[in-house]
Amino acid sequence: MSPTARLMDGTALARQIVEQAAERAAALTERTGQAPCLATVLVGEDPASETYVRMKRNRCGKAGIRSRHVALPAATTTGELVDTLTALSQDPEVHGILLQHPVGPHIDERAAFEAIAPEKDVDGVTYHSFATMSFGAEGFASCTPGGILRLLDHYGVEPAGKHAVVVGRSAILGKPVGMLLLGRNATVTYCHSRTTDLAAHTRQADILIAAVGRPRLLTADHIKPGAVVIDAGYNPGNIGDVDFDSAATRASLITPVPGGVGPMTIATLLTQTVDAAARQLKGA
Ligand code: NAP
């Protein structure tokens, strides 16, 4: 019989992290009279995006974090979105801002992200957050990468000295998770759509991060025996970027989809919202 990898249970760990965030939110509210508040901004009516925002707001509510939702029509211009985000950035009652993406092809998403004040960028999407995260300074991590690092820590996976291979280089996922792993002294290789012989690279990975958006792209053939496999992919039908059944015969630890990286993303968002509120209400 083939050996089977141990599961990395993101749902259980995220629950613990959200409980800790809730305790901190309650203490902050008691001390300052102000509950942490996350503003969520959604452009258009994409059902998947609406669901994600609803889930995030529900979790906030359960953790004692207020949320304020701004729903904008699909025809919103870049200028209008920038104005909305600038106003939220200046509103002292809002401590964190989440712009749900994608925002639609007619909007300059980067211009919108950059309208979020760095101290409220709890989703970690601005240039400022990328820089502070990469330099290990105080700031906010991109939520999914931050969640992945917590998962590794919880399962005792020490990145230092390991070879981490990240498949994908998007601004919100692949690139920042590589920077966090580098900051933890892993040797990092990035693969992407122009990489030749993907499997030759991934088979060298002690830690393999799949951040692609291609259902079951990575199979047992891509995995070094004993590797730690993190599947951040979330494709229609709850399918990851890793072919779980075959990968689990090679990996030592592996995340399921769903129930691995996804819950950790929301837990990181909530934690960082409480962090943002704590910093902003410090003197209150
Ligand atoms: P993205 O912006 O589309 O980026 C995909 C990356 O994969 C790109 O860098 C692309 O390379 C690379 N790629 C595409 N095809 C490839 C191939 N055949 N071989 C190697 N690399 C390839 O996607 P994303 O936003 O990073 O999301 C990736 C996945 O993670 C999606 O399934 C998404 O749903 C999921 N996700 C999950 C969470 C969560 O909370 N669980 C959060 C965010 C994203 P190029 O740069 O060369 O185009």
Side-chain angles (χ1 to χ4, degrees), residues 144 167-170 172-174 191-194 198 211-214 217 232-235 241 261-262 265:
T144 306
V167 188
R169 56 173 168 179
S170 71
I172 58 150
L173 181 47
C191 299
H192 45 78
S193 67
R194 307 285 288 275
L198 180 64
V212 194
R214 299 273 181 279
L217 175 75
Y234 196 64
N235 305 291
D241 289 343
V261 172
T265 300

Side-chain angles (χ1 to χ4, degrees), residues 59-71:
R59 297 285 157 76
C60 280
K62 286 184 184 150
I65 297 170
R66 282 188 303 132
S67 62
R68 184 195 298 179
H69 185 54
V70 182

Side-chain angles (χ1 to χ4, degrees), residues 25-167:
L28 193 64
T29 307
E30 174 144 349
R31 185 172 67 73
T32 65
Q34 244 186 296
C37 176
L38 175 71
T40 55
V41 179
L42 178 64
V43 181
E45 291 168 5
D46 173 60
S49 293
E50 282 179 339
T51 303
Y52 288 141
V53 171
R54 201 177 318 115
M55 269 167 56
K56 290 167 185 172
R57 297 189 67 212
N58 279 346
R59 297 285 157 76
C60 280
K62 286 184 184 150
I65 297 170
R66 282 188 303 132
S67 62
R68 184 195 298 179
H69 185 54
V70 182
L72 298 171
T76 301
T77 64
T78 299
E80 288 165 344
L81 182 55
V82 164
D83 288 348
T84 299
L85 292 164
T86 303
L88 291 169
S89 292
Q90 291 167 354
D91 185 335
E93 292 193 356
V94 169
H95 306 112
I97 300 172
L98 168 90
L99 170 61
Q100 185 65 38
H101 46 104
V103 286
H106 66 292
I107 290 179
D108 178 348
E109 186 174 80
R110 180 46 50 192
F113 283 153
E114 294 309 312
I116 297 172
E119 67 275 16
K120 298 189 182 183
D121 180 24
V122 293
D123 202 24
V125 294
T126 59
Y127 287 148
H128 184 276
S129 292
F130 188 86
T132 52
M133 186 195 66
S134 302
F135 282 89
E138 183 178 277
F140 298 109
S142 305
C143 282
T144 306
I148 289 172
L149 266 288
R150 280 187 168 229
L151 205 46
L152 291 172
D153 285 341
H154 180 76
Y155 281 90
V157 180
E158 171 53 58
K162 303 268 169 45
H163 187 179
V165 176
V166 182
V167 188

Side-chain angles (χ1 to χ4, degrees), residues 3-4 11 19 58 83 92 137 156 158 164 168 175 205 220 223 236 247 252 282:
T4 303
T11 305
E19 275 168 19
N58 279 346
D83 288 348
E158 171 53 58
K175 229 170 252 173
I223 294 165
S252 58
K282 209 169 191 171

